[in-house]
Amino acid sequence: MDELVSLCARRGFIFPSSEIYGGINGFWDYGPLGVELKNNLKAFWWQRVVRERDDVEGLDSTVIAHPRTWEASGHVEHFSDPMVDCRTCKRRFRADHVDVPCPEAPKQRSVAECDLTEARNFNLMLRTFIGASEDAASTAFLRAETCQSIFTDFKRVREAARQKIPFGIAQIGKAFRNEINPRNFTFRSREFEQAELEFFVHPSERERWFEYWLEQRVGFHRELGFGDDRLRVRPHEPDELAHYAKAAADVEFLFPFGWQEIEGVHDRGDWDLSRHTEYSGKDLAVTDEQTKERFVPMVVETSVGIDRTALALLCNAYQEEALEGGDTRTVLRLHPAVAPIKAAVLPLSKKLAEPVRRIAADLRRHWNVFYDDAGNIGRRYRRQDEAGTPLCVTYDFESEDDGQVTVRERDGMQQERIALDGLEAYLRERLEARP
Ligand code: GAP
C-alpha cells in the first residue's frame, strides 16, 4: 500500500488536498492521471448503467437540497455514529472502535481503558448556511448520499422521460460525510463520489430485481478485471442493515488492508418515496395503466463508490515485476477502458518529432494519447508502464521508409510492426474490445 500511495503522489494520480498546508484529513485531490482514471471509470459506469439500457434515465442534481429532504430521508435522526470522548486527551473515538491502542500510551493500554465519557451520537452530515444569517433556519446539509434527489425528482423525471415501472434513475456525484476516522488512503474520505442507481419496481418484484442488480453489478466489477480471488459478495446480517434497508449485500474487494465494501446493493423498499410523500405532501405513488392499481414503487439501489473503486483498480493493477537481467519494473495493469492514457506515441529520436506529433494529433480525436520524446526509449516505456498505458507506438527511422511503426504492449511487452494506415483500427481493436 505504501508503494502505491507514493506512486500515486509521484505520478500525479492522487495526493492530499491542500498539500502545501500539510493536507486536510479525509480530502484528496486527483492529478492529471487520476482525473482521467476517475472520468473513465464514471464514463464506463454511465455507459453500462444508463446508455446501454432503455429502462434507466440520468440525473445531475445539486449537492445542497432542501433541508427537509434530510429529515424525510432519516439522515438527521439516524445518520450518526456512537462516539465517546477521552476526558484526558480530549480525543474522540467511535464507541465500537475502542479496542485499539490509546494514541497517548499505545504500549500501556487500549482506548477502552481510558477515562471515557458515555457514548453519544454524532451526526455525520456536513453542514453549511444559506444566505446572510447563520442560524437553525438557514442551516443546510451537504448531501450524505447522492440518491435522495433521485427520490425527490422521481415524479418529474418519470413523467418527462415517459417511463413506466420498472425503470431506474441514475446519478454520479459528490457526497460528503464527516467521517470520524478517515483512513486507508482514499478508502474512507470525507468528500467522495458515488455512482447510484435507484430502480423502481412493483412490490411483487422486489426480490427478483434485487438479485438481478446484484448479479449485474458483480459482472461490472469482473469486467473491470477483478478476479474471484479479490471480489466477493457479503449479504448483510439483519442487525447491520441501514435504517432504510430491508435487505442488502456488499460487493467487497480484497484491499491490502483486508476485505472491504466497494459497492452496496440495497432493497430500500418504499421507505424513501413514502417518507418524501409524507414530508412534502406530494403523492409519489404511481398507477399501473393496465390494472389501474395504485402503489408506491419499491426501490432496489446499487451504490458504488467511485473513489473506492478507483483505489481497488489501482491496488488490483499494481505490480512490481522482476525482469531478465535483474531489472525490475513497476507496472499498472489497468483495464484499457479506465487507463488514463490509452497510448503513448514515441519518436525514437527528437529528429522524428514532426511526423509523430501528427500521428498524436490524429489519434487524439479518439483517445487520450501522450507524446513523449524525452530520454531513452526504455525509460519512456517504463514511465508508461507505471502510468498504466496499455500501448506504446514507436516511430523510428525505418518508419520513414516503410510507413510502419512498432506497437509495444504493456503487459507482455511484445512488440509488433503495424502499418501506419491501419494503426487506428489496430488500437481500437485492442482498446475497445468487449469481453
Ligand atoms: N445510498 C446508499 C449509500 O450511500 P453506503 O453503503 O453508505 O450507501 C455506498 O455508500 C458506497 O459509497 C460505499 O459502498 C462506498 O463505496 C462509498 N462510500 C461510502 N462512504 C464513503 C467514504 N467515507 N469514503 C469513500 N467512499 C465511501
Side-chain angles (χ1 to χ4, degrees):
M1 199 61 202
D2 290 345
E3 276 107 43
L4 178 66
V5 172
S6 101
L7 173 85
C8 281
R10 184 165 51 78
R11 293 304 310 263
F13 275 96
I14 309 171
F15 40 85
S17 159
S18 342
E19 206 174 4
I20 61 167
Y21 290 103
I24 167 165
N25 198 7
F27 296 88
W28 299 92
D29 288 347
Y30 288 73
L33 293 179
V35 66
E36 291 288 341
L37 172 73
K38 215 174 171 195
N39 282 346
N40 290 341
L41 175 59
K42 290 189 276 188
F44 189 66
W45 185 89
W46 196 261
Q47 178 66 22
R48 292 290 181 272
V49 176
V50 184
R51 291 257 176 89
E52 287 176 11
R53 307 185 61 104
D54 52 20
D55 59 356
V56 176
E57 304 291 340
L59 179 71
D60 181 23
S61 71
T62 56
V63 162
I64 294 176
H66 194 292
R68 289 280 281 168
T69 306
W70 302 104
E71 290 169 29
S73 71
H75 282 77
V76 170
E77 193 181 345
H78 298 291
F79 196 56
S80 52
D81 280 340
M83 305 298 297
V84 290
D85 291 304
C86 173
R87 292 193 181 92
T88 315
C89 74
K90 311 291 179 214
R91 282 197 177 84
R92 183 165 279 174
F93 303 92
R94 265 178 63 166
D96 52 348
H97 286 182
V98 289
D99 225 13
V100 293
C102 164
E104 293 288 307
K107 295 221 171 92
Q108 290 151 35
R109 59 169 187 269
S110 75
V111 169
E113 295 162 272
C114 295
D115 183 12
L116 301 175
T117 61
E118 288 296 302
R120 278 177 302 147
N121 277 340
F122 181 84
N123 195 290
L124 298 183
M125 273 193 298
L126 282 160
R127 285 150 213 252
T128 188
F129 300 101
I130 310 287
S133 50
E134 296 192 0
D135 52 21
S138 60
T139 301
F141 303 99
L142 307 194
R143 64 186 175 196
E145 54 179 8
T146 60
C147 60
Q148 286 306 322
S149 296
I150 292 180
F151 303 125
T152 56
D153 291 352
F154 165 72
K155 190 171 179 327
R156 167 73 71 191
V157 174
R158 187 179 69 78
E159 287 172 4
R162 309 184 52 190
Q163 283 283 3
K164 294 186 182 65
I165 304 296
F167 86 102
I169 305 176
Q171 135 151 276
I172 300 176
K174 292 267 189 176
F176 302 81
R177 295 181 189 178
N178 196 7
E179 298 283 0
I180 303 311
N181 189 11
R183 67 198 152 94
N184 290 329
F185 198 19
T186 57
F187 179 81
R188 177 156 291 121
S189 311
R190 288 176 166 146
E191 174 175 340
F192 54 95
E193 271 183 287
Q194 293 183 316
E196 299 200 297
L197 164 71
E198 309 303 315
F199 201 78
F200 301 90
V201 306
H202 187 272
S204 63
E205 299 206 294
R206 58 197 291 190
E207 275 108 20
R208 180 167 83 76
W209 281 109
F210 180 83
E211 293 307 325
Y212 170 85
W213 278 111
L214 186 55
E215 196 184 312
Q216 289 290 308
R217 299 305 304 147
V218 170
F220 175 91
H221 293 290
R222 289 224 171 92
E223 213 185 324
L224 285 175
F226 300 153
D228 284 341
D229 52 337
R230 299 193 84 163
L231 194 71
R232 73 178 187 194
V233 171
R234 193 184 66 80
H236 277 207
E237 299 297 331
D239 63 350
E240 57 175 324
L241 290 174
H243 63 268
Y244 51 73
K246 293 270 191 325
D250 287 346
V251 181
E252 294 188 335
F253 175 80
L254 183 57
F255 287 95
F257 43 87
W259 285 102
Q260 297 286 348
E261 169 190 352
I262 52 175
E263 172 150 8
V265 179
H266 309 123
D267 173 350
R268 297 181 73 117
D270 63 355
W271 163 267
D272 302 276
L273 290 184
S274 296
R275 292 276 289 195
H276 287 300
T277 297
E278 184 189 334
Y279 278 67
S280 68
K282 302 285 184 310
D283 184 5
L284 299 176
V286 298
T287 306
D288 183 311
E289 276 170 22
Q290 256 139 40
T291 64
K292 303 294 172 219
E293 180 196 3
R294 189 134 181 97
F295 63 95
V296 179
M298 300 281 159
V299 171
V300 174
E301 171 184 72
T302 73
S303 175
V304 65
I306 294 296
D307 308 80
R308 279 193 191 175
T309 307
L311 182 58
L313 283 167
L314 289 165
C315 291
N316 197 50
Y318 184 91
Q319 207 168 34
E320 278 171 26
E321 195 180 70
L323 300 175
E324 277 173 35
D327 227 7
T328 57
R329 68 163 182 159
T330 302
V331 55
L332 285 184
R333 296 178 194 279
L334 289 169
H335 189 293
V338 293
I341 300 166
K342 307 295 183 203
V345 287
L346 317 169
L348 194 63
S349 147
K350 282 195 169 143
K351 292 189 189 118
L352 300 168
E354 204 193 302
V356 184
R357 285 202 180 275
R358 276 203 304 274
I359 296 171
D362 250 14
L363 296 176
R364 279 178 182 150
R365 290 185 295 140
H366 310 287
W367 303 287
N368 190 30
V369 165
F370 189 76
Y371 171 90
D372 186 9
D373 61 16
N376 77 45
I377 194 74
R379 296 258 304 271
R380 282 185 268 165
Y381 284 153
R382 293 287 173 278
R383 283 204 290 269
Q384 293 308 316
D385 289 343
E386 256 188 5
T389 307
L391 299 167
C392 286
V393 177
T394 305
Y395 188 98
D396 54 29
F397 289 101
E398 262 172 58
S399 308
E400 296 277 88
D401 302 324
D402 67 3
Q404 295 192 346
V405 283
T406 301
V407 180
R408 179 226 188 227
E409 190 263 337
R410 175 195 65 203
D411 294 346
M413 295 185 286
Q414 306 96 332
Q415 304 200 0
E416 211 178 335
R417 233 20 217 172
I418 299 293
L420 262 173
D421 58 11
L423 182 62
E424 187 186 310
Y426 180 92
L427 296 188
R428 174 155 291 115
E429 168 84 24
R430 265 139 202 89
L431 296 171
E432 295 177 6
R434 281 184 78 148

